[in-house]
Amino acid sequence: MSARSTRGATVSLDRPWVAILAIVLVMIIMAASYIFSFTAIAQAGTWTGASTGVAWLAAIFIDGPILTYTISLSVKEWRGTPRRERVRTRVFLYAFTATSVALNFAHTASYWNWDFTRMDSLFGCLMAVAAPLAALAASEEVVSLAFTKRSHSPDIVTFLAPAPDVEVVAPPAPRKARQAAAVDTLALFDGIVASDGGFSTLEAQVGGDDRFDGVHDAFAR
């Protein structure tokens, strides 16, 4: 009996339902965090002296910017907005998160009359502080899953055509080089005229130089 290899089922992370499931799960965490923090800040809103009917609005303008600035920051990164504007948005995001953390902590501490001798109060404050931090982390995760560009796509294949053969043509000699050759030729002729060797002197001097082949032919004719 031949052995047959087995392989477990695999799930592609690029399937739409996988991304939707991840977003739904993170949104549940985000919703729970916002509701918990919203309730605490809404109750703490009465500390301002505002009536109970409008005290809950404090939770909107304190916890709301956490989600708003998270989305804004992701959009700016997507568009390639200058770093200075992204830093400003991130400062606002962290400032409202820190405010929410402080108010959640103060609300729980006030419930325990600021008595931290009991472990209940300490763990209660810990849970209260975790709520806005979880809201921030969940908001960034949802926006990242929904809007971040993919770094690569396996469905896109780039075909590179081979580069055509290009014949390399040597550039003509510079003008100064041609002038220098002409001066050498004139100096050579002057030397021949002044000497007694005549054409034999010319042939002896230019016999191994290809530049003067035309001169040799002219004398030969």
Side-chain angles (χ1 to χ4, degrees), residues 10-101:
T10 58
V11 177
S12 175
L13 298 180
D14 289 330
R15 293 181 181 274
W17 69 268
V18 176
I20 293 174
L21 178 61
I23 292 176
V24 170
L25 292 176
V26 177
M27 287 188 68
I28 292 175
I29 299 174
M30 180 180 68
S33 304
Y34 274 112
I35 292 174
F36 189 93
S37 179
F38 184 94
T39 303
I41 296 179
Q43 293 178 1
T46 57
W47 296 350
T48 63
S51 62
T52 308
V54 296
W56 60 272
L57 293 175
I60 294 180
F61 65 76
I62 292 177
D63 276 351
I66 297 177
L67 180 60
T68 302
Y69 284 115
T70 299
I71 297 176
S72 177
L73 182 62
S74 299
V75 171
K76 289 181 179 181
E77 290 180 351
W78 176 281
R79 295 177 177 177
T81 306
R83 182 176 179 274
R84 183 177 181 180
E85 295 186 16
R86 289 186 280 116
V87 170
R88 182 185 61 186
T89 303
R90 190 173 291 278
V91 168
F92 291 151
L93 172 62
Y94 291 160
F96 278 99
T97 302
T99 302
S100 180
V101 167

Side-chain angles (χ1 to χ4, degrees), residues 109-200:
S110 175
Y111 173 80
W112 292 100
N113 294 320
W114 299 88
D115 182 10
F116 298 110
T117 58
R118 298 182 56 178
M119 297 298 296
D120 297 351
S121 63
L122 295 177
F123 283 106
C125 291
L126 179 62
M127 284 190 290
V129 168
L133 295 178
L136 172 64
S139 300
E140 290 191 349
E141 200 65 24
V142 168
V143 174
S144 176
L145 291 172
F147 300 108
T148 302
K149 295 180 180 179
R150 294 175 59 183
S151 58
H152 62 84
S153 176
D155 300 330
I156 300 176
V157 181
T158 304
F159 296 94
L160 299 178
D165 296 334
V166 179
E167 182 180 358
V168 180
V169 180
R175 182 177 180 183
K176 292 184 178 181
R178 294 197 302 270
Q179 292 177 348
V183 172
D184 293 342
T185 304
L186 293 176
L188 179 61
F189 277 106
D190 291 341
I192 294 171
V193 173
S195 64
D196 296 331
F199 178 73
S200 60

